[in-house]
Amino acid sequence: MGLETVKEEILSNAKEQSNSIIAEARKEASRITREAEKKMEQMNEKNDAETKKILEMIKRQELANAELENKKMLLEAKKQAIEGVFSEAMKKLETLEDKTREVYIKKLLEKARNDIEIAHVYCNKKDSKFLKGFNAEPISIIGGLMAENKEKQLRVDYSFETLLQSIKENELQNISKILFG
């Protein structure tokens, strides 16, 4: 064997090894690329799932916020409706006919007499004419009366404003059921 043959054989072996190494490297690169693509696909699927979860959570939060806001608005509307009813009742009490007013004042005076021994009576100017036998002092109320004992230690307040406020506080649930079911 000549030097030339050995040289060619070495070059041929080197070329074969080189081709084999390159083929192996390409095979490995292809495997790494497939794994990377698979990982990217998995990550995309995971990100899509997480994004869907986040979007669902945001959607639920927004719906809950909207429901809460609706409830607040409904409650405010109901509150305004109830206030309107009491405001209307106050206006009607303020403009009662004298005959009806006199009946109410006398009933309130009788109730006050049952509660305390009346020595002083306070009412608006319109109602003082119905309180015969009392030196009624005028005060700024729309109707009804306030009464005190001789020592001015006990007072009952049967003014229309106080009576309506008491009804509102004690009967709010019933009023709400009547108005809104």
PDB file of all heavy atoms in Angstrom, residues 12-49:
ATOM      1  N   SER A  12     -11.113   9.148   3.233  1.00  0.00           N
ATOM      2  CA  SER A  12     -12.416   8.533   3.046  1.00  0.00           C
ATOM      3  C   SER A  12     -13.052   8.230   4.410  1.00  0.00           C
ATOM      4  O   SER A  12     -14.249   8.487   4.629  1.00  0.00           O
ATOM      5  CB  SER A  12     -12.257   7.253   2.221  1.00  0.00           C
ATOM      6  OG  SER A  12     -13.478   6.587   2.140  1.00  0.00           O
ATOM      7  N   ASN A  13     -12.239   7.665   5.297  1.00  0.00           N
ATOM      8  CA  ASN A  13     -12.747   7.388   6.660  1.00  0.00           C
ATOM      9  C   ASN A  13     -13.134   8.688   7.369  1.00  0.00           C
ATOM     10  O   ASN A  13     -14.160   8.756   8.046  1.00  0.00           O
ATOM     11  CB  ASN A  13     -11.697   6.648   7.483  1.00  0.00           C
ATOM     12  CG  ASN A  13     -11.620   5.168   7.143  1.00  0.00           C
ATOM     13  OD1 ASN A  13     -12.541   4.631   6.543  1.00  0.00           O
ATOM     14  ND2 ASN A  13     -10.518   4.530   7.515  1.00  0.00           N
ATOM     15  N   ALA A  14     -12.333   9.686   7.193  1.00  0.00           N
ATOM     16  CA  ALA A  14     -12.602  10.978   7.819  1.00  0.00           C
ATOM     17  C   ALA A  14     -13.886  11.563   7.252  1.00  0.00           C
ATOM     18  O   ALA A  14     -14.723  12.128   7.977  1.00  0.00           O
ATOM     19  CB  ALA A  14     -11.428  11.933   7.598  1.00  0.00           C
ATOM     20  N   LYS A  15     -14.045  11.413   5.899  1.00  0.00           N
ATOM     21  CA  LYS A  15     -15.247  11.932   5.269  1.00  0.00           C
ATOM     22  C   LYS A  15     -16.458  11.165   5.767  1.00  0.00           C
ATOM     23  O   LYS A  15     -17.522  11.743   6.041  1.00  0.00           O
ATOM     24  CB  LYS A  15     -15.110  11.831   3.750  1.00  0.00           C
ATOM     25  CG  LYS A  15     -16.082  12.680   3.020  1.00  0.00           C
ATOM     26  CD  LYS A  15     -15.739  12.723   1.536  1.00  0.00           C
ATOM     27  CE  LYS A  15     -16.527  13.842   0.935  1.00  0.00           C
ATOM     28  NZ  LYS A  15     -16.160  14.125  -0.410  1.00  0.00           N
ATOM     29  N   GLU A  16     -16.341   9.838   5.885  1.00  0.00           N
ATOM     30  CA  GLU A  16     -17.447   9.019   6.381  1.00  0.00           C
ATOM     31  C   GLU A  16     -17.783   9.403   7.808  1.00  0.00           C
ATOM     32  O   GLU A  16     -18.960   9.557   8.160  1.00  0.00           O
ATOM     33  CB  GLU A  16     -17.045   7.522   6.345  1.00  0.00           C
ATOM     34  CG  GLU A  16     -17.529   6.812   5.149  1.00  0.00           C
ATOM     35  CD  GLU A  16     -17.127   5.342   5.204  1.00  0.00           C
ATOM     36  OE1 GLU A  16     -17.350   4.687   6.246  1.00  0.00           O
ATOM     37  OE2 GLU A  16     -16.598   4.864   4.205  1.00  0.00           O
ATOM     38  N   GLN A  17     -16.750   9.526   8.621  1.00  0.00           N
ATOM     39  CA  GLN A  17     -16.981   9.927  10.019  1.00  0.00           C
ATOM     40  C   GLN A  17     -17.604  11.316  10.081  1.00  0.00           C
ATOM     41  O   GLN A  17     -18.514  11.579  10.857  1.00  0.00           O
ATOM     42  CB  GLN A  17     -15.658   9.909  10.802  1.00  0.00           C
ATOM     43  CG  GLN A  17     -15.255   8.552  11.256  1.00  0.00           C
ATOM     44  CD  GLN A  17     -13.958   8.611  12.090  1.00  0.00           C
ATOM     45  OE1 GLN A  17     -13.209   9.592  12.030  1.00  0.00           O
ATOM     46  NE2 GLN A  17     -13.713   7.567  12.849  1.00  0.00           N
ATOM     47  N   SER A  18     -17.116  12.185   9.254  1.00  0.00           N
ATOM     48  CA  SER A  18     -17.633  13.539   9.211  1.00  0.00           C
ATOM     49  C   SER A  18     -19.099  13.523   8.791  1.00  0.00           C
ATOM     50  O   SER A  18     -19.940  14.188   9.407  1.00  0.00           O
ATOM     51  CB  SER A  18     -16.795  14.362   8.233  1.00  0.00           C
ATOM     52  OG  SER A  18     -17.402  15.596   7.979  1.00  0.00           O
ATOM     53  N   ASN A  19     -19.398  12.765   7.746  1.00  0.00           N
ATOM     54  CA  ASN A  19     -20.793  12.652   7.286  1.00  0.00           C
ATOM     55  C   ASN A  19     -21.669  12.024   8.371  1.00  0.00           C
ATOM     56  O   ASN A  19     -22.811  12.440   8.580  1.00  0.00           O
ATOM     57  CB  ASN A  19     -20.876  11.837   5.994  1.00  0.00           C
ATOM     58  CG  ASN A  19     -20.386  12.621   4.788  1.00  0.00           C
ATOM     59  OD1 ASN A  19     -20.314  13.853   4.829  1.00  0.00           O
ATOM     60  ND2 ASN A  19     -20.045  11.917   3.707  1.00  0.00           N
ATOM     61  N   SER A  20     -21.127  11.013   9.032  1.00  0.00           N
ATOM     62  CA  SER A  20     -21.870  10.336  10.106  1.00  0.00           C
ATOM     63  C   SER A  20     -22.119  11.298  11.267  1.00  0.00           C
ATOM     64  O   SER A  20     -23.226  11.365  11.814  1.00  0.00           O
ATOM     65  CB  SER A  20     -21.074   9.117  10.577  1.00  0.00           C
ATOM     66  OG  SER A  20     -21.718   8.528  11.671  1.00  0.00           O
ATOM     67  N   ILE A  21     -21.103  12.066  11.622  1.00  0.00           N
ATOM     68  CA  ILE A  21     -21.228  13.034  12.725  1.00  0.00           C
ATOM     69  C   ILE A  21     -22.232  14.128  12.333  1.00  0.00           C
ATOM     70  O   ILE A  21     -23.090  14.518  13.124  1.00  0.00           O
ATOM     71  CB  ILE A  21     -19.854  13.631  13.080  1.00  0.00           C
ATOM     72  CG1 ILE A  21     -18.980  12.569  13.750  1.00  0.00           C
ATOM     73  CG2 ILE A  21     -19.996  14.855  13.982  1.00  0.00           C
ATOM     74  CD1 ILE A  21     -17.539  12.996  13.975  1.00  0.00           C
ATOM     75  N   ILE A  22     -22.144  14.594  11.085  1.00  0.00           N
ATOM     76  CA  ILE A  22     -23.074  15.633  10.616  1.00  0.00           C
ATOM     77  C   ILE A  22     -24.493  15.087  10.606  1.00  0.00           C
ATOM     78  O   ILE A  22     -25.436  15.764  11.038  1.00  0.00           O
ATOM     79  CB  ILE A  22     -22.644  16.166   9.222  1.00  0.00           C
ATOM     80  CG1 ILE A  22     -21.361  17.000   9.372  1.00  0.00           C
ATOM     81  CG2 ILE A  22     -23.756  16.992   8.584  1.00  0.00           C
ATOM     82  CD1 ILE A  22     -20.741  17.434   8.059  1.00  0.00           C
ATOM     83  N   ALA A  23     -24.667  13.842  10.109  1.00  0.00           N
ATOM     84  CA  ALA A  23     -26.001  13.228  10.073  1.00  0.00           C
ATOM     85  C   ALA A  23     -26.538  13.073  11.489  1.00  0.00           C
ATOM     86  O   ALA A  23     -27.718  13.350  11.757  1.00  0.00           O
ATOM     87  CB  ALA A  23     -25.939  11.878   9.363  1.00  0.00           C
ATOM     88  N   GLU A  24     -25.684  12.635  12.384  1.00  0.00           N
ATOM     89  CA  GLU A  24     -26.075  12.475  13.803  1.00  0.00           C
ATOM     90  C   GLU A  24     -26.429  13.834  14.406  1.00  0.00           C
ATOM     91  O   GLU A  24     -27.408  13.969  15.144  1.00  0.00           O
ATOM     92  CB  GLU A  24     -24.928  11.812  14.570  1.00  0.00           C
ATOM     93  CG  GLU A  24     -25.278  11.304  15.939  1.00  0.00           C
ATOM     94  CD  GLU A  24     -26.343  10.217  15.935  1.00  0.00           C
ATOM     95  OE1 GLU A  24     -26.389   9.365  15.047  1.00  0.00           O
ATOM     96  OE2 GLU A  24     -27.179  10.257  16.869  1.00  0.00           O
ATOM     97  N   ALA A  25     -25.652  14.848  14.088  1.00  0.00           N
ATOM     98  CA  ALA A  25     -25.908  16.198  14.592  1.00  0.00           C
ATOM     99  C   ALA A  25     -27.235  16.731  14.038  1.00  0.00           C
ATOM    100  O   ALA A  25     -28.015  17.348  14.760  1.00  0.00           O
ATOM    101  CB  ALA A  25     -24.752  17.127  14.208  1.00  0.00           C
ATOM    102  N   ARG A  26     -27.470  16.471  12.728  1.00  0.00           N
ATOM    103  CA  ARG A  26     -28.748  16.908  12.141  1.00  0.00           C
ATOM    104  C   ARG A  26     -29.915  16.181  12.805  1.00  0.00           C
ATOM    105  O   ARG A  26     -30.963  16.779  13.064  1.00  0.00           O
ATOM    106  CB  ARG A  26     -28.750  16.650  10.629  1.00  0.00           C
ATOM    107  CG  ARG A  26     -27.929  17.662   9.888  1.00  0.00           C
ATOM    108  CD  ARG A  26     -28.034  17.465   8.398  1.00  0.00           C
ATOM    109  NE  ARG A  26     -27.241  18.476   7.729  1.00  0.00           N
ATOM    110  CZ  ARG A  26     -26.625  18.301   6.602  1.00  0.00           C
ATOM    111  NH1 ARG A  26     -26.701  17.136   5.967  1.00  0.00           N
ATOM    112  NH2 ARG A  26     -25.926  19.283   6.053  1.00  0.00           N
ATOM    113  N   LYS A  27     -29.723  14.903  13.052  1.00  0.00           N
ATOM    114  CA  LYS A  27     -30.753  14.095  13.708  1.00  0.00           C
ATOM    115  C   LYS A  27     -31.025  14.649  15.108  1.00  0.00           C
ATOM    116  O   LYS A  27     -32.181  14.820  15.517  1.00  0.00           O
ATOM    117  CB  LYS A  27     -30.246  12.656  13.796  1.00  0.00           C
ATOM    118  CG  LYS A  27     -31.279  11.633  13.978  1.00  0.00           C
ATOM    119  CD  LYS A  27     -30.573  10.254  13.884  1.00  0.00           C
ATOM    120  CE  LYS A  27     -31.491   9.141  14.241  1.00  0.00           C
ATOM    121  NZ  LYS A  27     -30.838   7.849  14.186  1.00  0.00           N
ATOM    122  N   GLU A  28     -29.954  14.948  15.829  1.00  0.00           N
ATOM    123  CA  GLU A  28     -30.069  15.508  17.187  1.00  0.00           C
ATOM    124  C   GLU A  28     -30.712  16.893  17.138  1.00  0.00           C
ATOM    125  O   GLU A  28     -31.575  17.225  17.946  1.00  0.00           O
ATOM    126  CB  GLU A  28     -28.686  15.577  17.845  1.00  0.00           C
ATOM    127  CG  GLU A  28     -28.676  16.085  19.262  1.00  0.00           C
ATOM    128  CD  GLU A  28     -29.395  15.153  20.254  1.00  0.00           C
ATOM    129  OE1 GLU A  28     -29.633  13.967  19.961  1.00  0.00           O
ATOM    130  OE2 GLU A  28     -29.751  15.652  21.342  1.00  0.00           O
ATOM    131  N   ALA A  29     -30.318  17.705  16.163  1.00  0.00           N
ATOM    132  CA  ALA A  29     -30.897  19.045  16.016  1.00  0.00           C
ATOM    133  C   ALA A  29     -32.388  18.936  15.704  1.00  0.00           C
ATOM    134  O   ALA A  29     -33.211  19.703  16.230  1.00  0.00           O
ATOM    135  CB  ALA A  29     -30.170  19.819  14.914  1.00  0.00           C
ATOM    136  N   SER A  30     -32.744  17.986  14.865  1.00  0.00           N
ATOM    137  CA  SER A  30     -34.150  17.775  14.524  1.00  0.00           C
ATOM    138  C   SER A  30     -34.935  17.338  15.755  1.00  0.00           C
ATOM    139  O   SER A  30     -36.060  17.810  16.001  1.00  0.00           O
ATOM    140  CB  SER A  30     -34.238  16.718  13.412  1.00  0.00           C
ATOM    141  OG  SER A  30     -35.565  16.494  13.076  1.00  0.00           O
ATOM    142  N   ARG A  31     -34.352  16.435  16.563  1.00  0.00           N
ATOM    143  CA  ARG A  31     -34.997  15.987  17.799  1.00  0.00           C
ATOM    144  C   ARG A  31     -35.173  17.153  18.766  1.00  0.00           C
ATOM    145  O   ARG A  31     -36.246  17.359  19.337  1.00  0.00           O
ATOM    146  CB  ARG A  31     -34.161  14.876  18.463  1.00  0.00           C
ATOM    147  CG  ARG A  31     -34.815  14.288  19.711  1.00  0.00           C
ATOM    148  CD  ARG A  31     -33.862  13.366  20.458  1.00  0.00           C
ATOM    149  NE  ARG A  31     -32.710  14.036  21.025  1.00  0.00           N
ATOM    150  CZ  ARG A  31     -32.728  14.804  22.109  1.00  0.00           C
ATOM    151  NH1 ARG A  31     -33.832  15.027  22.765  1.00  0.00           N
ATOM    152  NH2 ARG A  31     -31.610  15.369  22.545  1.00  0.00           N
ATOM    153  N   ILE A  32     -34.135  17.973  18.925  1.00  0.00           N
ATOM    154  CA  ILE A  32     -34.199  19.134  19.820  1.00  0.00           C
ATOM    155  C   ILE A  32     -35.257  20.122  19.323  1.00  0.00           C
ATOM    156  O   ILE A  32     -36.039  20.664  20.111  1.00  0.00           O
ATOM    157  CB  ILE A  32     -32.803  19.807  19.929  1.00  0.00           C
ATOM    158  CG1 ILE A  32     -31.843  18.887  20.704  1.00  0.00           C
ATOM    159  CG2 ILE A  32     -32.895  21.174  20.586  1.00  0.00           C
ATOM    160  CD1 ILE A  32     -30.393  19.341  20.685  1.00  0.00           C
ATOM    161  N   THR A  33     -35.317  20.315  18.002  1.00  0.00           N
ATOM    162  CA  THR A  33     -36.316  21.221  17.426  1.00  0.00           C
ATOM    163  C   THR A  33     -37.724  20.698  17.699  1.00  0.00           C
ATOM    164  O   THR A  33     -38.620  21.467  18.076  1.00  0.00           O
ATOM    165  CB  THR A  33     -36.081  21.379  15.910  1.00  0.00           C
ATOM    166  OG1 THR A  33     -34.760  21.881  15.698  1.00  0.00           O
ATOM    167  CG2 THR A  33     -37.092  22.314  15.288  1.00  0.00           C
ATOM    168  N   ARG A  34     -37.940  19.373  17.484  1.00  0.00           N
ATOM    169  CA  ARG A  34     -39.265  18.784  17.747  1.00  0.00           C
ATOM    170  C   ARG A  34     -39.645  18.935  19.222  1.00  0.00           C
ATOM    171  O   ARG A  34     -40.786  19.290  19.554  1.00  0.00           O
ATOM    172  CB  ARG A  34     -39.286  17.299  17.351  1.00  0.00           C
ATOM    173  CG  ARG A  34     -39.419  17.069  15.877  1.00  0.00           C
ATOM    174  CD  ARG A  34     -39.736  15.611  15.558  1.00  0.00           C
ATOM    175  NE  ARG A  34     -38.861  14.641  16.191  1.00  0.00           N
ATOM    176  CZ  ARG A  34     -37.697  14.218  15.715  1.00  0.00           C
ATOM    177  NH1 ARG A  34     -37.243  14.682  14.572  1.00  0.00           N
ATOM    178  NH2 ARG A  34     -36.979  13.319  16.366  1.00  0.00           N
ATOM    179  N   GLU A  35     -38.695  18.695  20.128  1.00  0.00           N
ATOM    180  CA  GLU A  35     -38.965  18.841  21.563  1.00  0.00           C
ATOM    181  C   GLU A  35     -39.295  20.297  21.903  1.00  0.00           C
ATOM    182  O   GLU A  35     -40.212  20.572  22.670  1.00  0.00           O
ATOM    183  CB  GLU A  35     -37.763  18.364  22.387  1.00  0.00           C
ATOM    184  CG  GLU A  35     -37.662  16.876  22.521  1.00  0.00           C
ATOM    185  CD  GLU A  35     -36.489  16.449  23.402  1.00  0.00           C
ATOM    186  OE1 GLU A  35     -35.909  17.306  24.119  1.00  0.00           O
ATOM    187  OE2 GLU A  35     -36.151  15.246  23.369  1.00  0.00           O
ATOM    188  N   ALA A  36     -38.548  21.214  21.324  1.00  0.00           N
ATOM    189  CA  ALA A  36     -38.792  22.637  21.580  1.00  0.00           C
ATOM    190  C   ALA A  36     -40.171  23.032  21.058  1.00  0.00           C
ATOM    191  O   ALA A  36     -40.923  23.752  21.729  1.00  0.00           O
ATOM    192  CB  ALA A  36     -37.702  23.488  20.925  1.00  0.00           C
ATOM    193  N   GLU A  37     -40.529  22.547  19.849  1.00  0.00           N
ATOM    194  CA  GLU A  37     -41.848  22.846  19.295  1.00  0.00           C
ATOM    195  C   GLU A  37     -42.940  22.248  20.178  1.00  0.00           C
ATOM    196  O   GLU A  37     -43.978  22.876  20.408  1.00  0.00           O
ATOM    197  CB  GLU A  37     -41.954  22.324  17.857  1.00  0.00           C
ATOM    198  CG  GLU A  37     -41.165  23.155  16.857  1.00  0.00           C
ATOM    199  CD  GLU A  37     -41.142  22.539  15.462  1.00  0.00           C
ATOM    200  OE1 GLU A  37     -41.595  21.383  15.296  1.00  0.00           O
ATOM    201  OE2 GLU A  37     -40.658  23.227  14.555  1.00  0.00           O
ATOM    202  N   LYS A  38     -42.703  21.018  20.671  1.00  0.00           N
ATOM    203  CA  LYS A  38     -43.684  20.354  21.546  1.00  0.00           C
ATOM    204  C   LYS A  38     -43.845  21.141  22.847  1.00  0.00           C
ATOM    205  O   LYS A  38     -44.962  21.378  23.313  1.00  0.00           O
ATOM    206  CB  LYS A  38     -43.222  18.927  21.833  1.00  0.00           C
ATOM    207  CG  LYS A  38     -44.229  18.082  22.556  1.00  0.00           C
ATOM    208  CD  LYS A  38     -43.727  16.648  22.712  1.00  0.00           C
ATOM    209  CE  LYS A  38     -44.727  15.816  23.473  1.00  0.00           C
ATOM    210  NZ  LYS A  38     -44.249  14.436  23.667  1.00  0.00           N
ATOM    211  N   LYS A  39     -42.705  21.575  23.419  1.00  0.00           N
ATOM    212  CA  LYS A  39     -42.754  22.384  24.643  1.00  0.00           C
ATOM    213  C   LYS A  39     -43.474  23.702  24.395  1.00  0.00           C
ATOM    214  O   LYS A  39     -44.274  24.154  25.219  1.00  0.00           O
ATOM    215  CB  LYS A  39     -41.343  22.646  25.185  1.00  0.00           C
ATOM    216  CG  LYS A  39     -40.755  21.488  25.935  1.00  0.00           C
ATOM    217  CD  LYS A  39     -39.401  21.859  26.523  1.00  0.00           C
ATOM    218  CE  LYS A  39     -38.799  20.658  27.256  1.00  0.00           C
ATOM    219  NZ  LYS A  39     -37.483  20.978  27.798  1.00  0.00           N
ATOM    220  N   MET A  40     -43.202  24.337  23.264  1.00  0.00           N
ATOM    221  CA  MET A  40     -43.867  25.597  22.934  1.00  0.00           C
ATOM    222  C   MET A  40     -45.373  25.380  22.783  1.00  0.00           C
ATOM    223  O   MET A  40     -46.181  26.188  23.246  1.00  0.00           O
ATOM    224  CB  MET A  40     -43.283  26.198  21.646  1.00  0.00           C
ATOM    225  CG  MET A  40     -41.942  26.878  21.869  1.00  0.00           C
ATOM    226  SD  MET A  40     -41.161  27.548  20.368  1.00  0.00           S
ATOM    227  CE  MET A  40     -42.464  28.348  19.517  1.00  0.00           C
ATOM    228  N   GLU A  41     -45.737  24.271  22.140  1.00  0.00           N
ATOM    229  CA  GLU A  41     -47.154  23.961  21.974  1.00  0.00           C
ATOM    230  C   GLU A  41     -47.813  23.740  23.337  1.00  0.00           C
ATOM    231  O   GLU A  41     -48.905  24.246  23.603  1.00  0.00           O
ATOM    232  CB  GLU A  41     -47.300  22.707  21.097  1.00  0.00           C
ATOM    233  CG  GLU A  41     -48.720  22.446  20.646  1.00  0.00           C
ATOM    234  CD  GLU A  41     -48.780  21.238  19.719  1.00  0.00           C
ATOM    235  OE1 GLU A  41     -48.004  21.187  18.737  1.00  0.00           O
ATOM    236  OE2 GLU A  41     -49.617  20.368  19.998  1.00  0.00           O
ATOM    237  N   GLN A  42     -47.137  23.003  24.208  1.00  0.00           N
ATOM    238  CA  GLN A  42     -47.659  22.772  25.561  1.00  0.00           C
ATOM    239  C   GLN A  42     -47.778  24.097  26.322  1.00  0.00           C
ATOM    240  O   GLN A  42     -48.769  24.338  27.011  1.00  0.00           O
ATOM    241  CB  GLN A  42     -46.755  21.797  26.330  1.00  0.00           C
ATOM    242  CG  GLN A  42     -46.849  20.372  25.857  1.00  0.00           C
ATOM    243  CD  GLN A  42     -45.804  19.462  26.518  1.00  0.00           C
ATOM    244  OE1 GLN A  42     -44.817  19.935  27.086  1.00  0.00           O
ATOM    245  NE2 GLN A  42     -46.032  18.160  26.427  1.00  0.00           N
ATOM    246  N   MET A  43     -46.750  24.938  26.186  1.00  0.00           N
ATOM    247  CA  MET A  43     -46.784  26.229  26.869  1.00  0.00           C
ATOM    248  C   MET A  43     -47.921  27.094  26.325  1.00  0.00           C
ATOM    249  O   MET A  43     -48.623  27.764  27.087  1.00  0.00           O
ATOM    250  CB  MET A  43     -45.439  26.955  26.720  1.00  0.00           C
ATOM    251  CG  MET A  43     -44.329  26.324  27.552  1.00  0.00           C
ATOM    252  SD  MET A  43     -42.704  27.043  27.244  1.00  0.00           S
ATOM    253  CE  MET A  43     -42.923  28.673  27.906  1.00  0.00           C
ATOM    254  N   ASN A  44     -48.123  27.061  25.012  1.00  0.00           N
ATOM    255  CA  ASN A  44     -49.222  27.816  24.412  1.00  0.00           C
ATOM    256  C   ASN A  44     -50.567  27.311  24.923  1.00  0.00           C
ATOM    257  O   ASN A  44     -51.453  28.106  25.233  1.00  0.00           O
ATOM    258  CB  ASN A  44     -49.171  27.750  22.876  1.00  0.00           C
ATOM    259  CG  ASN A  44     -48.134  28.671  22.289  1.00  0.00           C
ATOM    260  OD1 ASN A  44     -47.726  29.636  22.931  1.00  0.00           O
ATOM    261  ND2 ASN A  44     -47.699  28.387  21.070  1.00  0.00           N
ATOM    262  N   GLU A  45     -50.700  25.974  24.990  1.00  0.00           N
ATOM    263  CA  GLU A  45     -51.947  25.400  25.511  1.00  0.00           C
ATOM    264  C   GLU A  45     -52.153  25.800  26.967  1.00  0.00           C
ATOM    265  O   GLU A  45     -53.255  26.167  27.370  1.00  0.00           O
ATOM    266  CB  GLU A  45     -51.931  23.872  25.374  1.00  0.00           C
ATOM    267  CG  GLU A  45     -52.094  23.395  23.948  1.00  0.00           C
ATOM    268  CD  GLU A  45     -51.894  21.885  23.814  1.00  0.00           C
ATOM    269  OE1 GLU A  45     -51.718  21.191  24.843  1.00  0.00           O
ATOM    270  OE2 GLU A  45     -51.922  21.405  22.667  1.00  0.00           O
ATOM    271  N   LYS A  46     -51.054  25.738  27.739  1.00  0.00           N
ATOM    272  CA  LYS A  46     -51.131  26.125  29.152  1.00  0.00           C
ATOM    273  C   LYS A  46     -51.490  27.608  29.272  1.00  0.00           C
ATOM    274  O   LYS A  46     -52.341  27.991  30.077  1.00  0.00           O
ATOM    275  CB  LYS A  46     -49.787  25.842  29.838  1.00  0.00           C
ATOM    276  CG  LYS A  46     -49.776  26.110  31.312  1.00  0.00           C
ATOM    277  CD  LYS A  46     -48.413  25.780  31.914  1.00  0.00           C
ATOM    278  CE  LYS A  46     -48.393  26.141  33.390  1.00  0.00           C
ATOM    279  NZ  LYS A  46     -47.077  25.937  33.980  1.00  0.00           N
ATOM    280  N   ASN A  47     -50.839  28.443  28.465  1.00  0.00           N
ATOM    281  CA  ASN A  47     -51.141  29.879  28.486  1.00  0.00           C
ATOM    282  C   ASN A  47     -52.582  30.148  28.063  1.00  0.00           C
ATOM    283  O   ASN A  47     -53.244  30.999  28.646  1.00  0.00           O
ATOM    284  CB  ASN A  47     -50.172  30.646  27.577  1.00  0.00           C
ATOM    285  CG  ASN A  47     -48.793  30.782  28.190  1.00  0.00           C
ATOM    286  OD1 ASN A  47     -48.621  30.618  29.386  1.00  0.00           O
ATOM    287  ND2 ASN A  47     -47.810  31.072  27.351  1.00  0.00           N
ATOM    288  N   ASP A  48     -53.051  29.420  27.049  1.00  0.00           N
ATOM    289  CA  ASP A  48     -54.443  29.579  26.619  1.00  0.00           C
ATOM    290  C   ASP A  48     -55.401  29.204  27.750  1.00  0.00           C
ATOM    291  O   ASP A  48     -56.377  29.919  27.998  1.00  0.00           O
ATOM    292  CB  ASP A  48     -54.736  28.718  25.385  1.00  0.00           C
ATOM    293  CG  ASP A  48     -54.098  29.276  24.115  1.00  0.00           C
ATOM    294  OD1 ASP A  48     -53.637  30.435  24.148  1.00  0.00           O
ATOM    295  OD2 ASP A  48     -54.073  28.535  23.098  1.00  0.00           O
ATOM    296  N   ALA A  49     -55.098  28.094  28.430  1.00  0.00           N
ATOM    297  CA  ALA A  49     -55.949  27.654  29.540  1.00  0.00           C
ATOM    298  C   ALA A  49     -55.922  28.686  30.671  1.00  0.00           C
ATOM    299  O   ALA A  49     -56.975  29.025  31.232  1.00  0.00           O
ATOM    300  CB  ALA A  49     -55.496  26.292  30.049  1.00  0.00           C
TER     301      ALA A  49
END
